[in-house]
Amino acid sequence: MFLGQYHHTIDAKGRLSIPGKYREVLAKRYDDVLVVTKDPERCLAIHPMEEWKRLAEKIQSIPRTRQTVKDYKRFVHGEAMDCVLDKQGRILIPPELREFAELDREAMLVGVDDHIEVWSIERWRVKSEQMTQNMDQIVGAIADYGV
């Protein structure tokens, strides 16, 4: 399980260091292949390959005739890339994905249970403020699921 937030830098070549705690989770539970893709909230999502396959199976169970499903697949799968951590625990994020998420030299990595999100510092600040302001609604919606 990926937990916590980590402020990291992206080097001039577009490499992002994965925090040690996340690398420990990857080493214990998963193989070393990751999938990086766009998230609709204009951040990036990093999925261990096993979790990516689970997500893909869920999406495949939805009727392909629905335009929203087709568009979601195009959006999420269209620019997804698989990668492997290098010896320094970094992954290369291609320019198109960095541009989409407005990533520059700094990024906030956020553990979200089965995947990691990569946010620009400014976008994360705004998102964090929004979540704080809407926490009553968020808790109410989650309570509907018995949590």
Side-chain angles (χ1 to χ4, degrees), residues 38 67-80:
K38 295 188 225 176
Q67 187 62 45
T68 53
V69 174
K70 290 179 183 180
D71 289 343
Y72 181 81
K73 284 182 171 184
R74 289 178 186 124
F75 182 82
V76 174
H77 293 251
E79 290 190 50

Side-chain angles (χ1 to χ4, degrees), residues 10-30:
I10 299 172
D11 72 13
K13 294 181 180 178
R15 294 175 299 197
L16 173 66
S17 178
I18 301 299
K21 291 283 187 183
Y22 295 166
R23 290 195 311 263
E24 288 175 19
V25 172
L26 290 168
K28 289 179 185 175
R29 287 194 60 192
Y30 302 105

